[in-house]
Amino acid sequence: MTAHALADSWTMTRRELARWGRQPVQLVVNLVFPVMLLLMFGYLIGGGRGVSGEYRDYLIPGMLALTMAFGLEGTLLAVTQDLNKGVIDRFRSMPMANGAVLVGRSAADMLQSAMALVVLIGVGVALGWRPGGGPEALLAAVGLLLLFRFAMLWIGIHLALVAGKPELVQAVQILVWPVGFLSNALATPGSMPGWLGAVVEWNPMSHTATAVRDLFTVPGTESGHAWPAIIWPLALLTVFFPLAVRRFGRLSR
């Protein structure tokens, strides 16, 4: 990406950050929602069948991964609203790099996702959870989680551009639910029916959650999932990032 494109993308990122100041409620809701899920699954619904050791140690890394899959609708709505309100047409009248609007949106989303991880990890620590592996493992886990989020984000952006209208974004967001809940975020594949466990083990999010658990030294966690947790998101990005930028260029003409 050229310096010109980076400068345009940073301008669009600052536009999104300014939006936070005008609409702080949406930011707060996005940060609080994963905390509510953690408390609900950890203390109200419960679980842990087939889990070695404390369920909380298994659940929190899974919730971190689940948080990276959910909460995309704000960014997807903003992209489609810009298209339908003519904002993109005004940007096109400027000497702006193609895709800078999308990159700015994604950068702001990634910052919010990092904040959500910090909040959720802080709540976990307050509840008595202690991630093993040391600071290096924690940084590596956060890196894997954000990489997974980045891939999910660009899949969502592409599908939102295909949908084209804000009212259809909800239908796109519904597609995230199978990815999130057909995973090992909340339960082990071994506790599921055989066919379902096989599907769960193939889910890219399951690789990320397992790799994070391994970094945090959760008892009973399989090793060797770090590379799949890197390769899957990169493969998805290789497909959907150029598709989204190309689709955006066609829609904004």
Side-chain angles (χ1 to χ4, degrees), residues 5 9 21 24 30 33 39 93 105 118 127 134 136 138 142 153 160 169 179 187 212 216 223 226:
S9 299
N30 289 335
F33 180 67
L39 297 177
S93 66
R105 293 283 189 193
V118 170
L127 295 174
E136 296 84 1
L138 178 61
V142 169
L153 179 61
V169 167
V179 176
V212 170
F216 289 159
S223 59

Side-chain angles (χ1 to χ4, degrees), residues 79 83 88 92 97-103 154 157-162 236-253:
V79 169
L83 283 170
I88 301 303
R92 286 183 62 239
N98 183 37
V101 174
L102 299 183
V103 174
W154 281 97
I157 288 175
H158 174 65
L159 294 177
L161 291 174
V162 171
L236 294 171
L237 281 169
T238 301
V239 174
F240 286 96
F241 180 85
L243 283 177
V245 173
R246 188 178 303 118
R247 180 78 181 183
F248 179 79
R250 292 173 179 170
L251 290 176
S252 59
R253 287 172 185 168

Side-chain angles (χ1 to χ4, degrees), residues 14 27 82 131 178 234:
R14 288 191 289 113
L27 175 63
D82 279 353
L234 290 179

Side-chain angles (χ1 to χ4, degrees), residues 21-119:
R22 297 191 299 270
Q23 300 174 347
V25 174
Q26 182 178 354
L27 175 63
V28 172
V29 169
N30 289 335
L31 295 178
V32 171
F33 180 67
V35 174
M36 293 175 60
L37 284 180
L38 171 62
L39 297 177
M40 180 177 67
F41 284 107
Y43 293 93
L44 294 180
I45 297 177
R49 188 174 58 174
V51 173
S52 300
E54 285 282 338
Y55 181 54
R56 179 181 58 195
D57 294 335
Y58 182 91
L59 174 65
I60 291 179
M63 284 302 308
L64 294 173
L66 198 63
T67 301
M68 295 297 96
F70 288 170
L72 298 169
E73 66 273 7
T75 298
L76 307 189
L77 276 172
V79 169
T80 53
Q81 286 172 350
D82 279 353
L83 283 170
N84 285 270
K85 291 180 178 179
V87 175
I88 301 303
D89 291 333
R90 292 196 292 271
F91 286 146
R92 286 183 62 239
S93 66
M94 307 174 187
M96 179 178 294
N98 183 37
V101 174
L102 299 183
V103 174
R105 293 283 189 193
S106 64
D109 185 284
M110 293 301 293
L111 178 58
Q112 179 179 298
S113 299
M115 293 167 60
L117 287 179
V118 170
V119 170

Side-chain angles (χ1 to χ4, degrees), residues 147-159 179 202-208 228-244:
L147 177 62
F148 176 71
R149 172 65 173 200
F150 198 54
M152 291 294 297
L153 179 61
W154 281 97
I155 295 172
I157 288 175
H158 174 65
L159 294 177
V179 176
W202 272 97
N203 189 336
M205 197 181 105
S206 294
H207 290 293
T208 296
I230 295 172
I231 292 171
W232 262 113
L234 290 179
L236 294 171
L237 281 169
T238 301
V239 174
F240 286 96
F241 180 85
L243 283 177

